Amino acid sequence: MKHRRAHALRRRYGRSESGGLCKSASRVQVLLFPRDKFNVVEAKAWAHKHDWKTSDVDVPPSGEYIHLRQEDPSHFRRIRTVYLGGRGVQARVGWPAC
């Protein structure tokens, strides 16, 4: 079921693609994993299992979340957070600045 939710998210918001900024209406900018439920290795494993990028990881020292960046935030004019449920995984979804 959890794997299905990630696929639904990708169908709705799209995965990062190189090239033009307006290929889809919205895209995932970053995946957020709560630090009290995930460590970096577990977050990367979850993202890899669900076919998301795992190379750009940010763990703010005072933050509550591990960030797995999918795309640069400067590419978007508007960003909002979507809750994926389950273990508290969230995604920031952005609409491109065309």
Side-chain angles (χ1 to χ4, degrees):
M1 177 96 170
K2 290 178 190 176
H3 195 61
R4 214 174 299 151
R5 268 184 262 186
H7 283 291
L9 175 73
R10 187 169 302 104
R11 278 194 308 274
R12 182 170 179 189
Y13 296 110
R15 203 175 358 170
S16 295
E17 297 178 10
S18 58
L21 298 177
C22 297
K23 288 188 177 181
S24 65
S26 59
R27 295 193 302 269
V28 173
Q29 186 267 320
V30 68
L31 297 172
L32 304 169
F33 297 86
R35 290 176 74 179
D36 61 341
K37 296 180 182 173
F38 288 88
N39 60 38
V40 173
V41 173
E42 292 169 332
K44 288 176 92 171
W46 188 98
H48 180 73
K49 177 181 175 184
H50 295 90
D51 299 324
W52 295 101
K53 289 185 195 177
T54 60
S55 57
D56 192 355
V57 179
D58 181 30
V59 185
S62 60
E64 296 179 29
Y65 294 93
I66 298 166
H67 300 227
L68 267 64
R69 182 182 283 187
Q70 303 299 303
E71 242 183 280
D72 190 326
S74 68
H75 293 174
F76 301 99
R77 63 179 162 79
R78 187 175 132 223
I79 295 177
R80 64 173 272 217
T81 302
V82 176
Y83 296 90
L84 302 181
R87 292 179 60 194
V89 179
Q90 300 176 27
R92 285 198 187 132
V93 178
W95 285 262
C98 299

